[in-house]
Amino acid sequence: TDATARTLAFEAGDVDICISPLTTSIESLRQNPNCDIVSCDTFTTTNIVFNCTKSPLDNKLVRQAMAYAVDIDSLVDLVFAGTGKQHDSFFTPQNGGYHPADPEKDAPLLTYDPEKAKELLAEAGYADGFTIKIWTNESQNRIDMAEILQNSWGAIGINCEVTIMEFATLMAEYSKGEHDVIIVGFAPTGKDGQFYYPYVTSDGPFRRNYAGIRNPEIDELMDAAMATTDENQRNEYYAEVIDILREEVYMIPVHNSENFYGIRSTLTGIEPNPVGLPRLAVIHPKAE
């Protein structure tokens, strides 16, 4: 279960198939003649999620300020080592309704501007900053992200306390709605936007609606999408939901991942799957 041990075992030839090797090792594995790497885009996004039911994060100006304070370009380069794609939405490009963010309207999510961040904090009444807690699990990528956020937000006067938990403990704790900021992945299991229903509607508990989103307009749009079988109409509703999520900055989208699989170079047949469930039964030795 440990990604580092798993990757080292694959590189050493102790195992034939390695699901989700360390992203920082992908390039070196590709250079290894005994290892093949295959990949595909996934439905999974990594996001910095604000608990919008708690002060001061219930203030959109504060959330916008915190978004402006993060250099997402550098963060993605540092943390994900060239794998996957920098992202601008809770929905992935593979999902119905997705469209690119608007450089002007969605500027807080796209632009690194610490001075603008300080201005917005002052406008919101927090010129002297405040203290929040960042929670994440034991994934090294997310630990690295938490440390970057701690520095970035510290630079605009926000003191951040980072807590790293075992994943099951993290889930149990944020289900109570007591978190401030969490770094989490969303992993719907299909392309239709309805897979996001429990994550963005008011009925969704914190177990899924990590941001505590309580927005009647989103509720209406998601219900309307559920009520029609017209795919184009559904996608129009989802596009509106995406716009609202961006406007409100309930979260900072960071990254759309790839699923990576390592397979011994003597084998073939592995089929990358966006949900992360490869069909191992069809793997077979390469022909001599």
Side-chain angles (χ1 to χ4, degrees), residues 7-8 14 37 52 67 91 130 138 142-143 158 160 170 175 181 195 204 217 221 238 241 248 252-253 268:
T7 302
L8 290 173
D14 296 334
I37 296 292
C52 301
F91 286 46
F130 50 86
E138 297 166 312
R142 295 178 186 176
I143 293 172
I158 300 174
C160 302
L170 177 67
S175 294
V181 177
F195 284 99
E217 190 175 358
L221 289 165
Y238 299 143
V241 170
E248 294 297 327
I252 305 174
T268 189

Side-chain angles (χ1 to χ4, degrees), residues 42-47 90-92 94-95 142 167 174 184-192 194-199 207-208 210 255-257 259 274-277:
T42 76
F43 298 127
T44 302
T45 58
T46 298
N47 305 271
F90 179 32
F91 286 46
T92 73
Q94 295 79 258
N95 290 118
R142 295 178 186 176
F167 186 65
Y174 71 62
V184 291
F186 293 89
T189 54
K191 292 184 177 181
D192 193 89
Q194 207 59 216
F195 284 99
Y196 289 90
Y197 190 93
Y199 298 106
R207 181 66 157 68
R208 292 192 177 182
Y210 315 128
H255 185 255
N256 180 203
S257 70
N259 274 342
V275 184
L277 302 172

Side-chain angles (χ1 to χ4, degrees), residues 67 103 105 113 159 207 239:
K105 186 174 67 174
D113 190 340
N159 179 50
R207 181 66 157 68

Side-chain angles (χ1 to χ4, degrees), residues 108-170:
L109 299 177
L110 304 177
T111 306
Y112 174 52
D113 190 340
E115 293 307 312
K116 178 68 172 178
K118 292 176 183 177
E119 291 175 11
L120 289 171
L121 277 186
E123 184 180 345
Y126 295 97
D128 296 328
F130 50 86
T131 297
I132 59 168
K133 296 179 181 178
I134 303 173
W135 290 0
T136 189
N137 69 312
E138 297 166 312
S139 161
Q140 188 59 53
N141 285 355
R142 295 178 186 176
I143 293 172
D144 292 343
M145 284 181 62
E147 293 174 351
I148 291 170
L149 293 177
Q150 189 176 37
N151 291 329
S152 298
W153 289 337
I156 63 169
I158 300 174
N159 179 50
C160 302
E161 302 172 2
V162 175
T163 301
I164 301 165
M165 306 180 194
E166 188 272 333
F167 186 65
T169 302
L170 177 67

Side-chain angles (χ1 to χ4, degrees), residues 64 68 100-111 116 247:
Q64 289 176 330
Y68 272 119
D102 184 290
E104 294 185 6
K105 186 174 67 174
D106 303 315
L109 299 177
L110 304 177
T111 306
K116 178 68 172 178
E247 166 64 24

Side-chain angles (χ1 to χ4, degrees), residues 25-288:
S25 298
I26 294 298
E27 287 308 312
S28 65
L29 290 172
R30 282 177 170 148
Q31 302 304 314
N32 188 327
N34 299 313
C35 303
D36 288 338
I37 296 292
V38 295
S39 68
C40 67
D41 292 334
T42 76
F43 298 127
T44 302
T45 58
T46 298
N47 305 271
I48 302 161
V49 181
F50 302 117
N51 183 349
C52 301
T53 69
K54 293 181 66 175
S55 178
L57 300 173
D58 57 350
N59 187 322
K60 185 167 74 170
L61 291 176
V62 170
R63 301 195 298 270
Q64 289 176 330
M66 295 173 75
Y68 272 119
V70 181
D71 184 348
I72 295 295
D73 291 349
S74 297
L75 184 152
V76 170
D77 287 344
L78 286 169
V79 173
F80 296 98
T83 65
K85 301 180 180 70
Q86 184 177 333
H87 198 34
D88 62 4
S89 170
F90 179 32
F91 286 46
T92 73
Q94 295 79 258
N95 290 118
Y98 172 81
H99 54 285
D102 184 290
E104 294 185 6
K105 186 174 67 174
D106 303 315
L109 299 177
L110 304 177
T111 306
Y112 174 52
D113 190 340
E115 293 307 312
K116 178 68 172 178
K118 292 176 183 177
E119 291 175 11
L120 289 171
L121 277 186
E123 184 180 345
Y126 295 97
D128 296 328
F130 50 86
T131 297
I132 59 168
K133 296 179 181 178
I134 303 173
W135 290 0
T136 189
N137 69 312
E138 297 166 312
S139 161
Q140 188 59 53
N141 285 355
R142 295 178 186 176
I143 293 172
D144 292 343
M145 284 181 62
E147 293 174 351
I148 291 170
L149 293 177
Q150 189 176 37
N151 291 329
S152 298
W153 289 337
I156 63 169
I158 300 174
N159 179 50
C160 302
E161 302 172 2
V162 175
T163 301
I164 301 165
M165 306 180 194
E166 188 272 333
F167 186 65
T169 302
L170 177 67
M171 291 177 66
E173 290 302 311
Y174 71 62
S175 294
K176 301 173 185 175
E178 297 176 358
H179 56 285
D180 293 330
V181 177
I182 53 173
I183 301 169
V184 291
F186 293 89
T189 54
K191 292 184 177 181
D192 193 89
Q194 207 59 216
F195 284 99
Y196 289 90
Y197 190 93
Y199 298 106
V200 299
T201 54
S202 299
D203 289 339
F206 278 109
R207 181 66 157 68
R208 292 192 177 182
N209 187 348
Y210 315 128
I213 298 170
R214 305 289 185 262
N215 189 309
E217 190 175 358
I218 290 178
D219 295 342
E220 291 177 9
L221 289 165
M222 293 300 288
D223 286 340
M226 186 186 295
T228 179
T229 58
D230 184 323
E231 183 176 357
N232 290 331
Q233 182 63 67
R234 285 203 310 276
N235 289 344
E236 288 180 14
Y237 291 135
Y238 299 143
E240 290 185 58
V241 170
I242 290 170
D243 284 338
I244 296 170
L245 292 172
R246 287 169 170 158
E247 166 64 24
E248 294 297 327
V249 196
Y250 293 124
M251 63 197 75
I252 305 174
V254 175
H255 185 255
N256 180 203
S257 70
E258 291 177 86
N259 274 342
F260 287 94
Y261 307 93
I263 184 170
R264 189 65 42 220
S265 59
T266 55
L267 300 173
T268 189
I270 194 165
E271 300 174 355
N273 184 296
V275 184
L277 302 172
R279 294 176 59 219
L280 302 182
V282 299
I283 295 172
H284 55 278
K286 290 180 179 177
E288 294 292 337

